[in-house]
Amino acid sequence: MIKLIASDLDGTLLLNKAQTLPDDLFPLIRELNELGIRFVAASGRQYPNMKRLFAPVASDISFICENGALAVEKGQVLYQDRFDKELANEILTAIIEKKDAEFTCSAKDYHYLMPKTESFRHYMVDLVKNECRIINCLDEITDPIMKLAVYESAGLTDEYVRYWTGRFGQRCTVVTSGNDWVDFIPFGTNKAKGIREFQETYGISPEECIAFGDEYNDIEMLKAVKYGFAMAHSKEKVRESAAFTADRVQDILEKVIRVKGNMEEVI
């Protein structure tokens, strides 16, 4: 029987670059809770942003944030990873020096931003609605850093990913996240780490878990459960890492609810 369901956000629950969750998701999460099935939101996004997105059910679900660097249960931090400060400064400096590249620097409750353009500030603060602190120099970053991310206005390309992987891939994990981002996270940090934390905390086995994802930063999570679903539009390598594919998360959730968590009837 299924006891835990985890889902990525951007490209999985949030389709076509949407910034609000579909209304039909929240009743399904409530029904899962009534069946004793824990729902976990797992994203590269920051914790305050994720709480806002899931506001109608935020007190009833668990969170894996910043690509696994932070896990939160009922407002309590289960663990929080830290980035090496020297390496973080080196990456941030490289992003600042690269034309048209912008960064976010993730502390627990907000992102540090040093926008080169008003359009990026508007995007992060007004559209994505992240909690942000605008800084003028890197010395203003005083909180422990969990994750760094780079955004380029021209869009995410294979060349762009190869550039950052080639430059820093030997010193930290470099992975695409969502539609427009490349994330830098400490080795060993990923969404699967958060999944294992919840499995161990609540005595849940991988055979009792479902996960949904669409990007390279979801691969470890999809492999950490028996029932991993890659979105049908995912890249081939992501689909290969999952046991199943899905067009829409809510369709699978409805089936799980209908059979009261008996996954054998779903598949």
Side-chain angles (χ1 to χ4, degrees), residues 161 164-166 168-170 172-176 182-185 187:
V161 176
W164 292 110
T165 302
F168 294 107
Q170 297 298 314
C172 64
T173 297
V174 182
V175 64
T176 56
V182 172
D183 285 357
F184 306 87
I185 50 181
F187 285 133

Side-chain angles (χ1 to χ4, degrees), residues 112-131:
Y112 288 104
L113 299 183
M114 198 162 70
K116 298 176 183 177
T117 64
E118 168 58 22
S119 62
F120 182 68
R121 188 213 64 80
H122 172 68
Y123 174 67
M124 294 303 301
V125 175
D126 301 321
L127 298 182
V128 180
K129 298 185 185 301
N130 272 356
E131 295 293 329

